[in-house]
Amino acid sequence: MRALGHPDTPRPPSPVGAESLDDLVNMLRELREWAGAPSYALIAQRIKQHREQRGMHPGRRQVSRATVYDCFRLGRARIDVELLTEIVQALGVPPTEAVAWRQAHATAMGSASTASVVEIHQSIPPPSTVFAGRQAELDGLSARPLGSTLAVVGMAGIGKTELTLQLTARLTRQHSYTGGSYFVDLRGYDASRQPADPYAVLRGLLTAVGQPAGKVNRLSVDQQLSEWSAWARDRSFLLILDNATDENQVRPLLPRRHRGHVIVTSRRRLADLAHVPQTELQPLALDDALELLTQAAVAARVTDDPTSAARLAELCAGHPLDLTIVAAHLGQHPAWSLEDQVRRLESTPRGESIRPALAVSYRALNPDEQRALRLLSLYPGPSISAEAATSLLDRDPEEAAKLLATLDAEHLVRHDERGGVRLHDLVREYATWVTRHEESFTEQRAAVRRLIEYYVRGCAYAFQQVTPAEDHAPRLPADHAHRVPTEAVSDPRAWLDAGHQPAVVAATVAMEYGLSAPVAELSAVLALYLAEDGHLAQGEILHRLATTVEDPQHRARAHRDLSLVHQTQGRHSDAIRQLELATAAGPDPLPGRTHNIIGGIYNELGRLDDAVRHFVLAEDEARAANDDVRVARSKNNQANAYRHLWRLEEAEKLFAEVVEASARLGDTLNLQAAYYNRAVMFEAMGRCDEALHDVDAVVAIAGQHPFRGILPASHNIRGLIYQRLGRYDEAHSHHQRALETAVDLDDASTVGESLTGLGRALAGAGRLDESITYFERAIAHAREFDAPYNEGNALNGLGSVLRRQGLVDDAKALHTQARELGERFGDVEEIARSHVGLGHCASAYGDRRRAVHHWELALARYGEMKAPEAEAVRRLIAQPRPAPIGLRTRHTRR
């Protein structure tokens, strides 16, 4: 499988950047040249060898030279992603890097791969009450010490997952997992979804353990692996990786050192993981099989007819799942004897895709129950709510509940602790097989349409209830209002929190059935919620799906919504690219919005003149459309940019206009933003009472608003006000609350500001060593997320602390960096601060003349700003010459 590669380019070419299938094919051609241009026949032979190594059925190992050649041909409508992955590995791409080709394929096909849709459960499902045998395996596995990684392997239906759940119940009684418990279905053999992308799982795990999603998405694969290893090294945690395809899928997720238990289940031996002890499950022995039948069925019937009971165990081949299903059928049909069940199993055809016990149970169902099982298999998520299942089945709630209860009693589905419905992967595999043969594509498509429209209605209604004044999301159509899910009506916020992820999963299925219009609706409905509440990974998947729809207006909107996700993540160039694609697709139906978004990006990048230009263009567009709401929003953005430019009179005048207009128009979001921006300005001007008034107004509005995005920023402003008033303990408390909330929301900008605020509050309180840690974190964060304003602020803060500790050379270097950064981005405030700091450094050296020179430069800047700091600088200039302080160098620290 390995190729030598080109000697001058030891690493294979990357597929990143492919935006069409032709792009991907051209990159595939480059990869073949890099690999030494092997013949298509040789590539086919390598694929066959790889399939043999994986233990694939002999009838499916062969691939023709023509099939391989066809993947290198331009002008294709589609390429099979599994074959593409096999080809790139045959050309020498390591399995850990082949995932990039899968992702590029998803992008080129214009949709998000279901491989990237993963769910990390932060609790372990409870085990079944029916369990027999396996005591030796349980005893051996539970005796493994903390720090162990284990694997449970065996054929489908042999009871791997159930044994693991029984094991985890025992382990949690023996150990305290302070790092948490996590369960991930890797979907290695899911009939309806691609196996989970291991790096998507890795990102999900990092987010589940507390890493900000925006930060995780920016890390390289190596950095993500390093972060995961560092977290696991000192944590006691329980991680279940269920249903793995092979070693390549789980290898990135297995930390070499940890203090917990990691348990993997798979249908195949994980031969390449030599360091992982593997327990291979065999079919249950006869006594254990009979015990399982006894537990699950009526014990007397098993005892009264031991011969038939033994024959049932034989026909089920000792498979726990089959035995449980047969026992459930006996329980549901008391008139059936064990001999009747034996004869039914003996008469079942033994097709490769049909398991006898499943076939018996399926055929015993009435037509409505059979159809319900088929349709449930269309939803690929781990669990579907009872109400969503009702829409999928197209039944009234009472009828649907009866159907689901029957399927549960037959052990074909399982209700979870929240009332949702789960299918065992083997049941799903069988149901999917039956669906392909017995359910027309038209009926399948109609069911998926009902499901995606159910989520559109629920999300639209819930969003309207929690943000009645927001006009970003489409309104719920009048003819849909009476069909709103009752769960969304009873608790709209909880509906959004619980329903957005299954809605995204449903969208991936809907796209497979060509249902692009409701996917575009869902993308528009959820855009603001996903961005403001930090569900950025789901937002990226959903909006990327919607960018492929035919309707140019929907496509343009999806590109704009995707740009908002990228902007929140700090991916500014990607955000601008999406806006360019949006503009190319069609005009923005909300006048001025695109210019406002672009201006906001330039504002974050410190390109203030460009920001103002776009905000003015946004106002012009809105005014031409007689859209007073968007005129006010554009003015708010302009005023905020003027604040950064210290054009304070213009800013204050505009803020007053915006507050009056937004209050009159009932635009609470813009009113809240205007109060916040003006509070920032008043604080910088030293007008603390007015600043506190506006912060209180922000918080009052936020109490009626479901999104918390502005609250951490408000805590930061309050912290700065208290610093100016000398109340450093209160300031520290508010900056800490801001940091905690911003991390939860994955708000990169506010995280950086909080770190700097904590550094300044601690420095003001005299806790210098602690403040250094926060300033250093703030600088690293600002550089990672391209935040020049906060970087300059943190550099000056750290310089001030180091100077107070006698590290004047280091302080001077930091103030110089801050000054250069401020001059590059026009940050007048940090330029002034840096000159104050440089003046103090010169004074420490005894160079009074140079110190005064820097202070005079600072005074000129503060005078332009009309900032209260000007008076303090005047006193520095007027003070008598101080004695030089004792100097140290930074290398005496650490």
Side-chain angles (χ1 to χ4, degrees), residues 692-721:
L692 284 171
H693 170 274
D694 282 359
V695 171
D696 288 340
V698 170
V699 174
I701 296 172
Q704 308 163 17
H705 196 284
F707 300 125
R708 300 177 296 159
I710 203 164
L711 287 179
S714 299
H715 280 301
N716 272 334
I717 296 305
R718 201 181 292 275
L720 293 176
I721 295 169

Side-chain angles (χ1 to χ4, degrees), residues 359-419:
V360 166
S361 289
Y362 177 75
R363 292 181 180 183
L365 301 173
N366 67 40
D368 287 343
E369 294 161 352
Q370 289 178 343
R371 178 174 180 270
L373 184 64
R374 294 196 300 268
L375 296 185
L376 286 173
S377 73
L378 296 174
Y379 177 73
S383 175
I384 183 171
S385 73
E387 197 168 17
T390 298
S391 287
L392 182 66
L393 302 181
D394 197 22
R395 296 301 182 106
D396 65 44
E398 185 175 348
E399 290 178 316
K402 289 180 180 178
L403 290 171
L404 296 176
T406 300
L407 296 179
D408 191 311
E410 290 284 354
H411 280 251
L412 295 172
V413 304
R414 185 174 179 181
H415 282 81
D416 60 25
E417 62 277 8
R418 294 177 295 182

